[in-house]
């Protein structure tokens, strides 16, 4: 693990940063992908996941469900819904929504993101 809290892998540098309780930013193979922070199988924390830069996949550390970072499709592991991919960072930052860029710039490298309060269930309770 890097001194800034990033995950460094065998095939180059890969980073997973928890942006909020709901989102992680995965930087791999020159891409930046905003994805759900929890695995759809059993809610494993993807900030601890393994990223394969050659295959552009992310593997949950809990039960090893693996997902394509371009589509969110499950490629291996227990049957479950696809991983929610929110967006892929375009070449130009001007193409991204201003409110999303603001939320990303508020999180210094090596920190997990804003505190959002106690955990709640999927229905908000």
């Amino acid at each position: 693990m890097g001194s800034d809290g990033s995950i460094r892998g065998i095939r180059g540098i890969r980073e997973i940063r928890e942006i909020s309780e709901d989102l992680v930013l995965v930087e791999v193979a020159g891409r930046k992908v905003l994805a759900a922070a929890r695995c759809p199988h059993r809610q494993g924390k993807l900030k601890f996941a393994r990223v394969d830069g050659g295959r552009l996949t992310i593997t949950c550390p809990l039960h090893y469900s693996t997902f394509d970072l371009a589509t969110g499709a499950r490629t291996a592991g227990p049957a479950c819904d696809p991983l929610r991919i929110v967006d892929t960072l375009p070449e130009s930052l001007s193409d991204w929504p201003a409110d999303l860029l603001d939320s990303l710039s508020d999180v210094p490298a090596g920190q997990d993101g804003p505190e959002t309060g106690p955990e709640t269930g999927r229905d908000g309770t």
Side-chain angles (χ1 to χ4, degrees):
M1 183 174 290
S3 61
D4 63 355
S6 61
I7 306 298
R8 301 190 188 283
I10 296 170
R11 294 187 193 174
I13 297 174
R14 296 166 207 41
E15 295 186 32
I16 302 173
R17 284 188 20 209
E18 187 174 51
I19 300 302
S20 71
E21 205 172 284
D22 299 325
L23 296 173
V24 290
L25 179 66
V26 180
E27 298 183 53
V28 60
R31 297 180 186 201
K32 295 181 181 184
V33 179
L34 200 57
R38 300 281 184 151
C39 176
H41 175 245
R42 292 280 187 232
Q43 303 301 303
K45 292 183 179 183
L46 294 180
K47 71 179 182 178
F48 301 116
R50 189 184 86 234
V51 176
D52 183 327
R55 294 184 177 162
L56 292 176
T57 59
I58 187 168
T59 301
C60 178
L62 196 56
H63 296 107
Y64 307 107
S65 292
T66 301
F67 303 92
D68 183 295
L69 283 169
T71 65
R74 183 185 58 85
T75 61
C80 63
D81 290 335
L83 177 66
R84 183 173 60 102
I85 303 295
V86 176
D87 210 344
T88 300
L89 187 67
E91 292 291 324
S92 169
L93 290 179
S94 63
D95 295 338
W96 251 31
D99 59 334
L100 187 54
L101 286 175
D102 289 343
S103 71
L104 295 178
S105 65
D106 292 341
V107 182
Q111 293 188 6
D112 283 344
E115 293 296 325
T116 56
E119 290 190 23
T120 59
R122 286 187 171 198
D123 62 357
T125 58

